[in-house]
Amino acid sequence: MSVMSEPLTGTSLPADHPLATTDPARSTVRSPLVTAFRGGTPSRTPVWFMRQAGRSLPEYREVREGIGMLESCLRPELASEITLQPVRRHDVDAAIFFSDIVVPLRLAGVDVDIVPGTGPVLGQAVRTAADVAALPELTDESLEPIREAVRLTVAELGSTPLIGFAGAPFTVAAYMVEGGPSRDHLGPRTMMHADPETWNALATWAANTAGAFLRAQIEAGASAGQLFDSWAGSLSLDDYQQYVQPHSARAFSHVRDLVDGSGQPVPLVHFGTGTSEILPAMRDAGASVMGVDYRLPLGEAHRRLGATPGPDGRGTVPLQGNIDPALLSAPWEVLEAHVREVVEAGRVAPGHVVNLGHGVPPTTDPTVLTRIVDLIHSIQP
């Protein structure tokens, strides 16, 4: 079941945007990442890693020393520097904006912090209609630190794309209902059925907040956007379609009208963990590219997405993924064989961006990531 609305009237990105500029030193339109996201054949096999900007890098630990996570995200110069670090070190084909899914909550005025060793924790859980009604609205002015960080980053990246991101409504709302991390997300799953009106109001708030956060990044210079639904794998297909998909579609609707200089829409990626059973429903929320976690082979993901083969025998849905993060610490010959299998499996899709099937573990040796990038770039697209 698709809840995508008809395409909105195109809104052109600014003329100096990396997807619109005619300056070849700054244009990302023909970059390997954007080319693959749009189903073309890139000049080299593109790769980036979720959580590539983070604890696996000693330079990250150095610049973050003594600075809280949310404060790091909201200092434009620091957020930009952290975003750029893995591009310099690994030669990956994209930067992912350094932030967190609860940053827009903090910007809106919600009492939330990221507790080391625990994760996002709210001062007060959101569990009643009154709690939802009391939530503050995210203002356009409050997003200026995000825009500034993106502008600083894009100025340094040149023709390498920046990917903007936001947390999907279910994952964000799940944190809000639970008041923090949860293993099974019983609170939000119960609310969907026991108090659907309150659930829909909360998920609508989360969708609008995520959409505005993502749009600010894209308008300021990001060349693609990704919606992360970390906890959607806890849902049944029916629950996802009824209680979550419309809200993810709402989040995407905030950016679906944005087009580049030639009228092509900005690539939008949807990714979740443990979401093999709801992959087509996630696509139908409005993504143009599907991220696949390490549990599902890319060939099977392609089949489940029901892509109709084109003239070249490939499908119509570009894929992203899905190296198993657990293998990053395996012997090189084991890891190399796995990486080659992933690259080969991705050829079934019209476009394939190599990535992990989840984020980089903090204990990863960064030299291994660089070696993986070199290997992938050596393989003909």
Side-chain angles (χ1 to χ4, degrees):
M1 179 181 67
S2 173
V3 297
M4 288 177 59
S5 59
E6 289 301 311
L8 303 174
T9 301
T11 303
S12 296
L13 292 166
D16 62 348
H17 191 283
L19 285 176
T21 182
T22 57
D23 180 356
R26 297 185 57 252
S27 175
T28 58
V29 170
R30 292 182 176 81
S31 65
L33 180 96
V34 173
T35 299
F37 275 169
R38 288 177 165 170
T41 301
S43 57
R44 69 181 187 183
T45 305
V47 55
W48 68 279
F49 305 108
M50 285 181 280
R51 293 183 186 161
Q52 64 187 13
R55 292 171 292 174
S56 66
L57 300 183
E59 56 264 43
Y60 167 83
R61 296 192 293 270
E62 181 179 346
V63 299
R64 273 276 328 271
E65 188 172 0
I67 305 174
M69 176 63 179
L70 284 181
E71 185 181 353
S72 301
C73 295
L74 294 174
R75 292 188 185 181
E77 293 83 3
L78 182 55
S80 176
E81 166 61 23
I82 293 172
T83 300
L84 292 165
Q85 286 177 347
V87 181
R88 299 191 194 111
R89 177 185 275 265
H90 302 310
D91 189 30
V92 284
D93 294 283
I96 178 73
F97 184 57
F98 178 74
S99 192
D100 188 90
I101 64 170
V102 298
V103 164
L105 275 66
R106 168 66 73 87
L107 291 173
V110 174
D111 180 9
V112 62
D113 199 3
I114 298 177
V115 178
T118 300
V121 176
L122 276 74
Q124 178 181 339
V126 180
R127 294 174 179 166
T128 68
D131 292 338
V132 177
L135 287 171
E137 293 298 323
L138 180 66
T139 65
D140 188 65
E141 293 78 12
S142 68
L143 290 164
E144 188 52 34
I146 305 305
R147 296 189 185 95
E148 178 62 16
V150 169
R151 287 192 289 261
L152 291 170
T153 304
V154 169
E156 296 293 326
L157 282 172
S159 60
T160 299
L162 173 68
I163 301 171
F165 88 96
F170 173 73
T171 292
V172 173
Y175 275 115
M176 298 175 77
V177 173
E178 298 285 4
S182 167
R183 286 186 178 182
D184 48 24
H185 319 295
L186 278 177
R189 289 164 52 207
T190 298
M191 183 188 285
M192 290 174 185
H193 297 274
D195 191 357
E197 186 174 347
T198 297
W199 166 257
N200 285 322
L202 174 58
T204 297
W205 183 93
N208 289 335
T209 303
F213 184 60
L214 189 57
R215 189 179 184 97
Q217 295 169 64
I218 294 175
E219 287 184 332
S223 295
Q226 178 159 309
L227 204 61
F228 285 83
D229 213 346
S230 305
W231 308 134
S234 66
L235 298 168
S236 69
L237 176 58
D238 285 347
D239 280 356
Y240 180 84
Q241 289 178 319
Q242 183 171 352
Y243 298 109
V244 175
Q245 188 192 58
H247 301 293
S248 293
R250 174 182 284 270
F252 276 127
S253 74
H254 283 258
V255 292
R256 283 185 54 228
D257 63 307
L258 297 174
V259 297
D260 66 13
S262 62
Q264 291 196 70
V266 174
L268 299 174
V269 188
H270 207 173
F271 173 79
T273 56
T275 52
S276 301
E277 299 306 312
I278 62 173
L279 207 62
M282 290 179 67
R283 174 205 55 204
D284 290 346
S288 56
V289 180
M290 285 306 302
V292 183
D293 81 356
Y294 60 89
R295 297 169 178 84
L296 190 69
L298 292 178
E300 177 61 15
H302 172 78
R303 187 191 69 79
R304 292 188 184 191
L305 288 167
T308 303
D312 58 0
R314 301 162 102 184
T316 57
V317 181
L319 300 177
Q320 180 176 276
N322 64 342
I323 298 168
D324 187 343
L327 272 66
L328 295 178
S329 297
W332 174 251
E333 59 271 19
V334 175
L335 177 57
E336 178 183 5
H338 175 58
V339 170
R340 290 184 180 277
E341 289 172 359
V342 168
V343 174
E344 187 60 31
R347 296 185 188 280
V348 70
H352 176 217
V353 173
V354 184
N355 206 303
L356 298 181
H358 202 199
V360 175
T363 56
T364 301
D365 179 353
T367 63
V368 172
L369 296 179
T370 304
R371 195 173 181 184
I372 291 173
V373 172
D374 290 341
L375 170 62
I376 292 168
H377 285 165
S378 73
I379 301 173
Q380 187 71 23

